[in-house]
């Protein structure tokens, strides 16, 4: 009767507590189901939910019965046991402790099994991958297992093994506690006491523990192929010849101990148990610890290269395969090319697309001249290529997103109903500037005004973006703000398909609970026609649909030919289970297998397979049939803008700087290791960045310019440039990697050397010092490496931010080629100074800095003279020097005319 009262008491307390924890989850499940239905990925939701329920319920049930049954066995084993009151008195514990534990058996078993079930449900993807494995058609060199075993089978086996360990150990500990509470098991100064029935029960646990140890030894043999080593990743000489054989011995020894424990249940006796345990620990100490240590120090270390040669080959081959380094094409350059006037003319398109605007200066400038209102933010700058006026042009695009935290009045109506979206973007060429040193913009202002029909925005609203993180409601009674127009505002009603319909009171209440806002439920503005938009941040949105994909750090926006804004997000399949492949940032296998598009207006998400040969994406396609679309189904105007992503290129270039050495001896000695040089960049915050850049250029041996991603290398310990790696982006060449190598005996100036020469140039130093005198901030842009033919041209923009000003202006462009350096107002003039003033390329380069008419020069001279006098009176000598210099240039120009 006491137990029944306790059970009732548990129910009374458990029901409201359960509702407190479970109700939010149920609401979350319901609203997520509505959301997945709205975005068209219900299959993903149901597949995951059913699998998680199956795993969670199965694991929780198995754990509950194992723990509960063992505790009940302990109860029966001590049913007639008389409690040793004296022992309890010695430690000041009430002798009724066992009764309390007995009453807690059911709730404790339930609680522990629930936690175990929840942990097991998180392994849903491992389970589904195990059931839908795809062969790699490549076997590891030690065990002869297909790589798919390490990707799909071994992780699932390890998860099962871990689950069994947790259940057995938790049950063992709880059982031990109960036996101690009944004094059936006791430790004291006079010795160790254990009842016969208790001994038999604990022998069962002993058998299970050593059975799990045996399984663990087998599994850890395979795990050795992805273990870290000082030479790389994988099992090397000592592991293969000492550790792996010993594990193969320890596994059957553990099975022998399991048999000895089982024998002890039916025929008590310690002889076989002690002998088997002794043999196991002797083998473990001398075989798994001492022998490998001695072998490594006395045999391997003195002859490391000869002993590890084979395993270094494995590491090189499998790392190159895992990161697609084995597909990099090699091209050798002579290093003898001398650039001349004709070369500059032939590479006219490359020169026209030299990127003179760095990300941070451009963001700062756009923030001042294009944000229009304080609640708009430019948070990223994307580089892409568009055909403008029949020419391929590199364009920088920056979406104008809404930052709700900057709203003047942060009320519920403003944040959730009225201010719901960003508006339009700013876009312009990477190399053009106005006479004031500001970027030329092809698309600007609100509403977006375009100067070219090839880049027009007709649907500028951004409901889904990088900054859009909060939920909003559209199609409400409240006026929805669209964009500002002078002193007034323009309002609209959302016309898209995005959002979950709030067409019932129940849904309205569910969203109020989900968002933790009673105002959602009480608001009269939210009607049955209204829609709830959430998961609007594009990263969060994609990860919600495909949590098994790793996303690139730089999504970019595309303006389609229809005038819509669409985000493109590169997604990767990754793993850390590829045998012998070098691990970098926690992964040792990566493929850019998916291109994700997200419509900025209606939030439509599409996942396109860009690498159909990847076994991982093939497995995901089996798990979620119909979710992934072939790349051929991507709209043509979006397909024109796919690009090789930077994250995977960074991994590949970092590893290729070492793994281009494919001979074990050269690799071991690091005789030809390369280094990725760092750019000083726009170092307003003192940080350096790699010189990885997207650019338009004509590759050596190619007939026309193309959009590429490029990164230079220098030899380790030296500053000269040794090679450069490119990823091609256009058409059939998409994804091809090519490395261009200079002769080792030829000195090609590297970025660090060119930077040093620029800093030492007397004219440049004098001009920068003059600007710095009165607080004007000089910002040195990123040093750009521009390959032309088989030579290199270096370009660096200089920005000037006036004292107390916020807008950086592009004031100078530095051009460096071999021993020549020029700093001029434009790239064209700098090139003309180095390669000859008769260069027609200067005439063909059409920028916003057009030559002024002769009648305007006198007016400009007068204005510049007055500006210089004003600066002199104010004591602003930096500005004074700049105006005097400008006046001198105008006077020389008037003299020439």
């Amino acid at each position: 009767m006491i137990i029944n009262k306790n059970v009732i008491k548990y129910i009374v307390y458990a029901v409201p507590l359960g509702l407190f924890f479970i109700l939010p989850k149920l609401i979350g499940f319901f609203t997520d189901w509505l959301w997945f239905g709205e975005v068209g990925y219900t299959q993903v939701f149901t597949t995951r939910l059913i699998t998680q329920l199956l795993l969670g319920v199965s694991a929780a049930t198995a754990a509950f019965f194992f723990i509960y049954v063992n505790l009940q066995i302990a109860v029966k084993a001590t049913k007639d046991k008389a409690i040793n009151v004296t022992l309890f008195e010695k430690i000041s514990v009430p002798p009724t402790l066992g009764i309390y534990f007995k009453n807690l058996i059911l709730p404790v078993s339930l609680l522990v099994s629930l936690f175990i079930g929840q942990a097991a449900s998180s392994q849903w993807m491992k389970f589904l991958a195990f059931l839908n494995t795809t062969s790699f058609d490549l076997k590891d060199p030690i065990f002869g297992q297909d790589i798919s075993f390490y990707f799909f089978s071994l992780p699932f086996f390890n998860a099962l093994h871990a689950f069994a360990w947790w259940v057995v150990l938790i049950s063992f500990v709880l059982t031990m506690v109960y036996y101690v509470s009944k004094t059936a098991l006791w430790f004291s100064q006079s010795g160790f006491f254990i009842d016969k029935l208790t001994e038999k029960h604990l022998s069962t646990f002993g058998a299970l523990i050593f059975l799990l140890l045996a399984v663990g030894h087998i599994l850890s043999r395979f795990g050795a192929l992805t273990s870290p080593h000082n030479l790389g990743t994988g099992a090397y000489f000592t592991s293969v010849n000492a550790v792996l054989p010993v594990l193969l011995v320890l596994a059957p020894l553990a099975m022998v101990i399991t048999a000895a424990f089982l024998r002890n249940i039916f025929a008590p006796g310690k002889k076989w148990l002690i002998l088997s345990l002794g043999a196991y620990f002797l083998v473990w100490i001398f075989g798994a610890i001492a022998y490998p240590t001695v072998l490594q120090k006395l045999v391997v270390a003195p002859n490391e290269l000869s002993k590890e040669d084979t395993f270094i080959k494995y590491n090189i081959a499998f790392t190159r395969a895992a990161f697609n380094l084995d597909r990099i094409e090699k091209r050798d350059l002579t290093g003898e090319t001398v650039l001349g006037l004709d070369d500059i003319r032939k590479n006219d398109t490359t020169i026209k697309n030299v990127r003179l605007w760095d990300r941070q200066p451009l963001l700062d400038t756009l923030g001042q001249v294009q944000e229009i209102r304080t609640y708009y933010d430019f948070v990223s700058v994307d580089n892409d290529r568009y055909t403008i006026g029949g020419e391929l042009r590199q364009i920088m695009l920056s979406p104008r997103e809404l930052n709700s935290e900057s709203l003047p009045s942060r009320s519920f109506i403003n944040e959730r109903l009225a201010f719901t979206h960003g508006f339009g973007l700013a876009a312009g060429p990477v190399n053009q500037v106005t006479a004031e040193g500001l970027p030329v913009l092809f698309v600007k202002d609100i509403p977006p005004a375009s100067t070219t029909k090839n880049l027009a925005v007709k649907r500028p609203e951004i409901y889904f973006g990088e900054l859009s993180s909060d939920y909003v409601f559209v199609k409400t009674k409240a006026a929805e703000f669209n964009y500002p127009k002078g002193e007034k505002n323009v309002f609209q009603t959302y016309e898209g398909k995005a959002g979950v319909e709030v067409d019932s009171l129940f849904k309205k209440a569910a969203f109020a609970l989900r968002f933790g806002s009673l105002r959602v439920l009480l608001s009269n503005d939210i009607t049955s026609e209204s829609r709830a938009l959430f998961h609007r941040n594009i990263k969060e949105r994609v990860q919600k649909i495909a949590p098994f994909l790793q996303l690139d750090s730089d999504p970019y926006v595309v303006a389609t030919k229809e005038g819509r804004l669409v985000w493109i997000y590169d997604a990767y399949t990754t793993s850390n289970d590829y045998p012998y492949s070098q691990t970098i940032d926690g992964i040792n296998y990566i493929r850019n297998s998916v291109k994700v598009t997200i419509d900025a207006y209606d939030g439509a998400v599409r996942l396109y397979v860009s690498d159909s040969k990847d076994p991982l994406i093939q497995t995901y396609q089996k798990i979620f049939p119909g979710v992934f679309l072939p790349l051929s189904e991507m709209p043509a105007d979006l397909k024109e803008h796919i690009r090789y992503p930077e994250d995977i290129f960074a991994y590949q270039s970092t590893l290729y700087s070492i793994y281009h050495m494919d001979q074990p001896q050269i690799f071991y000695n690091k005789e030809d290791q390369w280094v990725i040089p760092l750019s000083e960049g726009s170092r307003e915050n003192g940080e350096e960045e790699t010189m990885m850049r997207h650019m338009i250029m004509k590759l050596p041996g190619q007939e026309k310019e193309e959009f590429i991603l490029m990164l230079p290398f220098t030899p380790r310990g030296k500053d000269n440039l040794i090679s450069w790696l490119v990823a091609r982006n256009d058409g059939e060449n998409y994804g091809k990697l090519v490395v261009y190598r200079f002769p080792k005996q030829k000195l090609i100036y590297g970025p660090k050397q060119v930077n040093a020469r620029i800093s030492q140039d007397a004219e440049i130093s004098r001009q920068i010092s003059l600007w710095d005198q009165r607080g004007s901030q000089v910002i040195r842009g990123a040093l750009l490496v521009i390959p032309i033919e088989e030579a290199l041209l270096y370009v660096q923009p200089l920005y000037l931010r006036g004292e107390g000003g916020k807008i950086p202006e592009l004031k100078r462009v530095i051009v460096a080629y071999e021993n020549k350096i020029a700093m001029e107002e434009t790239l064209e003039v700098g090139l003309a100074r180095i390669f000859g003033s008769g260069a027609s390329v200067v005439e063909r380069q059409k920028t916003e800095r057009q030559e002024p008419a002769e009648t305007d020069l006198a007016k400009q001279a007068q204005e510049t003279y007055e500006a210089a006098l004003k600066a002199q009176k104010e004591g602003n000598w930096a500005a004074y020097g700049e105006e005097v210099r400008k006046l001198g240039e105008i006077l020389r120009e008037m003299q020439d005319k």
Side-chain angles (χ1 to χ4, degrees), residues 235-246:
Y236 283 70
F237 186 89
T238 300
S239 292
V240 171
N241 293 280
V243 177
L244 296 185
V246 170

Side-chain angles (χ1 to χ4, degrees), residues 313-431:
K313 287 181 181 177
Y314 295 156
N315 178 241
I316 293 173
F318 281 80
T319 299
R320 289 168 65 91
F323 288 89
N324 268 346
L325 305 183
D326 53 352
R327 299 184 183 179
I328 296 179
E329 301 175 29
K330 299 175 182 177
R331 299 282 187 272
D332 290 324
L333 304 175
T334 63
E336 303 293 336
T337 301
V338 177
L339 286 183
L341 206 54
D342 289 339
D343 297 312
I344 299 299
R345 291 171 179 168
K346 285 192 298 183
N347 290 272
D348 180 13
T349 303
T350 299
I351 299 301
K352 286 181 179 179
N353 288 284
V354 172
R355 178 179 165 183
L356 298 181
W357 281 101
D358 283 352
R359 178 183 182 278
Q360 195 56 51
L362 181 59
L363 281 177
D364 292 344
T365 301
L366 293 178
Q368 294 299 312
V369 302
Q370 279 294 305
E371 280 186 359
I372 313 298
R373 292 289 189 271
T374 58
Y375 41 78
Y376 288 127
D377 269 351
F378 291 99
V379 295
S380 65
V381 174
D382 303 319
N383 276 276
D384 203 349
R385 71 285 200 196
Y386 289 80
T387 300
I388 306 293
E391 291 184 320
L392 186 64
R393 300 294 300 272
Q394 186 172 349
I395 304 296
M396 50 197 181
L397 305 95
S398 188
R400 185 185 292 106
E401 298 199 52
L402 179 75
N403 185 353
S404 60
E405 294 182 359
S406 300
L407 289 173
S409 175
R410 298 188 61 186
S411 64
F412 173 79
I413 292 179
N414 278 347
E415 288 193 74
R416 309 303 179 193
L417 309 181
F419 292 87
T420 57
H421 57 275
F423 202 85
L425 50 73
V430 294
N431 72 321

Side-chain angles (χ1 to χ4, degrees), residues 102-118:
K102 182 179 178 181
N103 291 334
L104 290 173
I105 287 176
L106 178 60
V108 168
S109 300
L110 283 171
L111 186 63
V112 171
S113 62
L114 285 174
F115 280 114
I116 291 175
Q118 186 177 19

Side-chain angles (χ1 to χ4, degrees), residues 584 649-659 674 676 711 713:
I584 177 172
F649 190 70
Y651 287 135
Q652 290 173 319
S653 55
T654 299
L655 288 170
Y656 194 71
S657 66
I658 301 174
Y659 285 88
W674 298 344
I676 299 173
L711 182 70
F713 294 102

Side-chain angles (χ1 to χ4, degrees), residues 382-541:
D382 303 319
N383 276 276
D384 203 349
R385 71 285 200 196
Y386 289 80
T387 300
I388 306 293
E391 291 184 320
L392 186 64
R393 300 294 300 272
Q394 186 172 349
I395 304 296
M396 50 197 181
L397 305 95
S398 188
R400 185 185 292 106
E401 298 199 52
L402 179 75
N403 185 353
S404 60
E405 294 182 359
S406 300
L407 289 173
S409 175
R410 298 188 61 186
S411 64
F412 173 79
I413 292 179
N414 278 347
E415 288 193 74
R416 309 303 179 193
L417 309 181
F419 292 87
T420 57
H421 57 275
F423 202 85
L425 50 73
V430 294
N431 72 321
Q432 288 183 295
V433 295
T434 65
E436 295 79 21
L438 300 178
V440 172
L441 296 175
F442 289 162
V443 181
K444 60 182 178 180
D445 300 335
I446 296 179
S450 177
T451 60
T452 171
K453 64 179 182 180
N454 301 102
L455 190 59
V457 180
K458 299 175 183 177
R459 177 55 79 183
E461 296 89 351
I462 302 175
Y463 285 87
F464 303 87
E466 293 182 88
L467 201 59
S468 307
S469 57
D470 295 328
Y471 69 91
V472 296
F473 290 90
V474 294
K475 295 187 176 181
T476 65
K477 290 182 179 179
E480 184 182 354
F481 171 79
N482 196 22
Y483 63 88
K485 187 176 182 180
E487 299 298 323
K488 299 181 180 179
N489 292 330
V490 176
F491 297 91
Q492 66 145 22
T493 298
Y494 180 67
E495 299 174 351
K497 300 178 181 179
V500 178
E501 291 184 353
V502 192
D503 52 5
S504 68
L505 182 62
F506 179 75
K507 285 185 180 180
K508 197 173 184 182
F511 284 120
L513 286 171
R514 180 189 179 101
F515 301 136
S517 175
L518 188 60
R519 293 177 180 177
V520 173
L521 181 62
L522 301 178
S523 175
N524 293 324
D525 292 320
I526 300 175
T527 69
S528 59
E529 300 294 324
S530 300
R531 291 172 176 263
L533 273 60
F534 53 108
H535 298 313
R536 297 195 302 135
N537 177 276
I538 56 173
K539 181 178 182 179
E540 177 189 337
R541 195 170 184 83

